[in-house]
Amino acid sequence: AAGVIQSPRHLIKEKRETATLKCYPIPRHDTVYWYQQGPGQDPQFLISFYEKMQSDKGSIPDRFSAQQFSDYHSELNMSSLELGDSALYFCASSLGQGPEAKNIQYFGAGTRLSVL
Amino acid sequence: GESVGLHLPTLSVQEGDNSIINCAYSNSASDYFIWYKQESGKGPQFIIDIRSNMDKRQGQRVTVLLNKTVKHLSLQIAATQPGDSAVYFCAETQGGKLIFGQGTELSVKP
């Protein structure tokens, strides 16, 4: 079965550079979520989109932005990168907006971003 | 602030034994509590959820218990197997957001 696809898997950037992370949800899933996970930390919710509109916002820095496109894929744009942005970035998708649907999120394998 | 957290950061069990992973939460308004499993190098994987008006829910080899009086959530894994080795996170939903707690690393000894 198709899963959530994230690209790239690894990304190395320098401070003050920009990065773009991509996420392709499971086919027919209409909701995409972005999380940031630091080393040894729990995933922190950043932002989510439902039907191409932002649905919820978490602890996403102003330097970051995201959007969901007409084919439901999503991109997380990160500017003025800082050392502290080094982390695993996960994308997840789900189908529908009901509470139980949101509980069951399917995660991708993540993008490991290293800022040097 | 509101948070979900775990009592024990690590748990080591013998293969075949039962495992119990605990979690304390502070937000009484959450509708659902969920357990996720994260294997090394992978994203979290949904295990089981429980609605806040329930106190027990069973899945395949897993049982989640919810005690709202003391704001405590636990995940019981029966007959733990090497493949169960992973970090386990409890989480709660607030609106459309999953709020994860600190993970517990489960290590299964053969």
Side-chain angles (χ1 to χ4, degrees):
Chain A
V4 175
I5 305 297
Q6 290 187 247
S7 68
R9 289 297 309 277
H10 302 276
L11 191 57
I12 300 174
K13 291 287 185 178
E14 295 193 355
K15 285 194 303 183
R16 293 180 288 279
E17 287 192 320
T18 61
T20 297
L21 278 54
K22 297 185 178 183
C23 170
Y24 296 86
I26 291 173
R28 296 190 299 112
H29 280 196
D30 51 19
T31 307
V32 169
Y33 313 81
W34 285 98
Y35 295 86
Q36 177 192 60
Q37 185 176 30
Q41 303 295 311
D42 56 281
Q44 294 287 318
F45 172 77
L46 294 178
I47 195 167
S48 62
F49 293 87
Y50 168 66
E51 286 291 344
K52 292 151 278 183
M53 299 288 290
Q54 181 181 308
S55 54
D56 285 288
K57 194 172 183 180
S59 52
I60 184 168
D62 292 340
R63 298 177 289 108
F64 294 5
S65 65
Q67 60 184 87
Q68 186 179 30
F69 295 86
S70 58
D71 64 352
Y72 293 97
H73 95 272
S74 178
E75 295 183 3
L76 178 65
N77 299 294
M78 311 160 73
S79 62
S80 302
L81 286 169
E82 302 173 357
L83 297 178
D85 296 329
S86 296
L88 263 173
Y89 289 84
F90 286 106
C91 172
S93 71
S94 67
L95 176 63
Q97 283 287 288
E100 294 190 356
K102 292 179 182 179
N103 294 346
I104 307 175
Q105 297 182 17
Y106 295 84
F107 283 74
T111 293
R112 183 174 296 280
L113 173 66
S114 298
V115 182
L116 306 179
Chain B
E2 298 164 345
S3 66
V4 180
L6 297 178
H7 291 302
L8 299 173
T10 60
L11 178 64
S12 183
V13 300
Q14 204 71 37
E15 181 179 358
D17 287 351
N18 297 334
S19 302
I20 300 176
I21 301 171
N22 297 303
C23 175
Y25 64 91
S26 58
N27 183 8
S28 301
S30 296
D31 290 327
Y32 287 88
F33 298 90
I34 309 109
W35 283 99
Y36 273 80
K37 170 187 180 184
Q38 186 174 22
E39 296 175 272
S40 180
K42 296 183 179 180
Q45 178 184 13
F46 172 87
I47 302 173
I48 192 168
D49 63 357
I50 186 168
R51 194 164 183 167
S52 59
N53 62 356
M54 299 170 65
D55 54 21
K56 182 179 180 179
R57 190 175 188 198
Q58 287 186 292
Q60 190 175 24
R61 279 202 309 119
V62 295
T63 301
V64 56
L65 299 177
L66 176 63
N67 185 332
K68 294 189 71 177
T69 302
V70 295
K71 297 183 182 178
H72 185 266
L73 184 71
S74 69
L75 177 71
Q76 300 178 1
I77 304 174
T80 313
Q81 303 168 359
D84 295 327
S85 294
V87 176
Y88 290 80
F89 292 98
C90 62
E92 59 181 314
T93 50
Q94 293 180 9
K97 299 178 281 190
L98 265 183
I99 307 298
F100 285 88
Q102 182 185 13
T104 291
E105 183 172 7
L106 175 65
S107 176
V108 182
K109 296 178 289 186

